[in-house]
Amino acid sequence: MAHLTSMLGIWNSNPTRHTAAEDLQGLIAGSMIAALGLYLLAKVGLLTGGMAGLAFVLHYWSGLSFGLLFFVLNLPFYILSLRRVGLDFTLKTFAAVGFTSFLVEIESRFLVIESIAPVWAAVLGGLLLGFGLLALYRHRASLGGLGILAVYVQDRFGIRAGLVQLAFDLVVMATAFAVVSPQVVAYSVLGAVVLNLFLAINHRSDRYIALR
């Protein structure tokens, strides 16, 4: 019984290591929360930064599935992840991206939102994405793409992952003017700022020492 509870993370005697079960629940919970944030943004036609933002731009421009675009756009970054961050991080991130992409596509079957103000969708969507990414980061995973690069830059140079992500997000937002209105971009920038400030304040590798 003691071995089972330890394996499940209920009684983990090693504070510097996650058990496999702890990692699994972290990946599932983080992906579900992040997918909900993306779903809220999509409901009012907003976008965000990083690969998710680029996927939104291409989705609004082409009509192709956001989940499929998000999954495909992340594929090249796994090479960087393997070389710079390691196999464990890469596999977890691949799983998180795949699961999040799937959840965004099926979210409307389980949750119907008839009306939500764009400004509230931007703030709440940004916070949910932040919570989801924080859960993934703390289990050595991300939502791929620029998140992989951001975590690597933080580990290598000590620059906060949220600030790195914010710089790339601004570039993505600039390209959004080609497919959406300036008002939509403004709301989207608000959501991205909320997301990245949340990560910049709450995600520090020196505060969280679990490594697995």
Side-chain angles (χ1 to χ4, degrees), residues 16-96:
T16 65
R17 294 281 176 178
H18 286 304
T19 65
E22 286 175 326
D23 280 340
L24 180 61
Q25 66 81 31
L27 295 179
I28 291 174
S31 297
M32 291 183 70
I33 296 170
L36 180 57
L38 292 170
Y39 177 69
L40 288 179
L41 295 176
K43 287 299 293 184
V44 291
L46 301 183
L47 52 139
T48 187
M51 286 297 103
L54 182 56
F56 270 128
V57 170
L58 294 175
H59 166 65
Y60 296 142
W61 175 68
S62 67
L64 294 174
S65 162
F66 167 80
L68 177 62
L69 288 168
F70 181 53
F71 181 78
V72 171
L73 287 172
N74 275 296
L75 293 177
F77 287 88
Y78 296 124
I79 298 175
L80 172 64
S81 180
L82 277 172
R83 292 178 177 177
R84 299 294 187 180
V85 191
L87 179 62
D88 184 62
F89 180 89
T90 303
L91 292 177
K92 290 178 183 177
T93 297
F94 181 83

Side-chain angles (χ1 to χ4, degrees), residues 31-177:
S31 297
M32 291 183 70
I33 296 170
L36 180 57
L38 292 170
Y39 177 69
L40 288 179
L41 295 176
K43 287 299 293 184
V44 291
L46 301 183
L47 52 139
T48 187
M51 286 297 103
L54 182 56
F56 270 128
V57 170
L58 294 175
H59 166 65
Y60 296 142
W61 175 68
S62 67
L64 294 174
S65 162
F66 167 80
L68 177 62
L69 288 168
F70 181 53
F71 181 78
V72 171
L73 287 172
N74 275 296
L75 293 177
F77 287 88
Y78 296 124
I79 298 175
L80 172 64
S81 180
L82 277 172
R83 292 178 177 177
R84 299 294 187 180
V85 191
L87 179 62
D88 184 62
F89 180 89
T90 303
L91 292 177
K92 290 178 183 177
T93 297
F94 181 83
V97 169
F99 190 42
T100 301
S101 299
F102 172 72
L103 289 175
V104 172
E105 291 301 306
I106 67 169
E107 196 83 53
S108 60
R109 300 181 184 181
F110 305 97
L111 177 63
V112 177
I113 299 176
E114 294 185 356
S115 177
I116 182 172
V119 65
W120 189 241
V123 172
L124 189 56
L127 283 174
L128 287 168
L129 273 171
F131 274 105
L133 282 169
L134 186 63
L136 294 174
Y137 287 169
R138 288 188 170 182
H139 289 271
R140 299 299 298 165
S142 78
L143 283 182
L146 298 178
I148 295 174
L149 182 60
V151 172
Y152 166 71
V153 170
Q154 174 168 287
D155 290 345
R156 180 66 177 82
F157 301 105
I159 302 173
R160 299 281 185 86
L163 296 179
V164 174
Q165 187 80 47
L166 179 59
F168 286 108
D169 288 351
L170 293 176
V171 175
V172 173
M173 293 297 176
T175 67
F177 284 102

